[in-house]
Amino acid sequence: MSVSERVDIRVKKAKLERIARAAALSGETTSEFVRDAAEDRAEQVLREHDARTHVPAEFFDELQALLDAPARPNAALASAFDRLRDLTRE
């Protein structure tokens, strides 16, 4: 048997009635409906948080400066553009 914790929340009567109606339409108890909704929202928030890349401010500032700087000529890229130009002229 697993141990479960209890969570108490307060909601206005009209909102509780709406939640209870949705739960009934879903074939769930109000508790199951609220628990599942809370778990889904927690998963979404955690997924969004984990998808972000966290870097030190100094690294971010240096990266931003490099991205904002004008592009420097690159022989390999120029060569690739020349080949593309030759292919599209044919």
Side-chain angles (χ1 to χ4, degrees):
M1 179 175 176
S2 65
V3 177
S4 62
E5 299 292 327
R6 183 177 180 89
V7 175
D8 293 315
I9 61 171
R10 294 190 179 275
V11 296
K12 294 189 184 273
K13 183 179 180 182
K15 290 189 178 193
L16 179 58
E17 289 170 353
R18 184 175 172 87
I19 291 168
R21 181 172 176 241
L25 290 170
S26 298
E28 298 176 282
T29 66
T30 302
S31 291
E32 290 169 331
F33 187 84
V34 170
R35 183 196 60 233
D36 290 346
E39 289 173 351
D40 290 346
R41 178 73 170 122
E43 185 62 35
Q44 176 188 359
V45 168
L46 293 172
R47 199 172 38 250
E48 289 171 3
H49 179 279
D50 292 344
R52 293 187 182 117
T53 301
H54 301 275
V55 297
E58 295 164 354
F59 177 85
F60 179 81
D61 292 343
E62 184 179 332
L63 176 61
Q64 194 66 41
L66 290 170
L67 293 172
D68 288 342
R72 288 181 271 172
N74 176 315
L77 187 56
S79 176
F81 276 117
D82 289 340
R83 288 193 310 274
L84 177 63
R85 189 173 331 145
D86 292 343
L87 288 172
T88 57
R89 285 185 189 165
E90 295 176 0

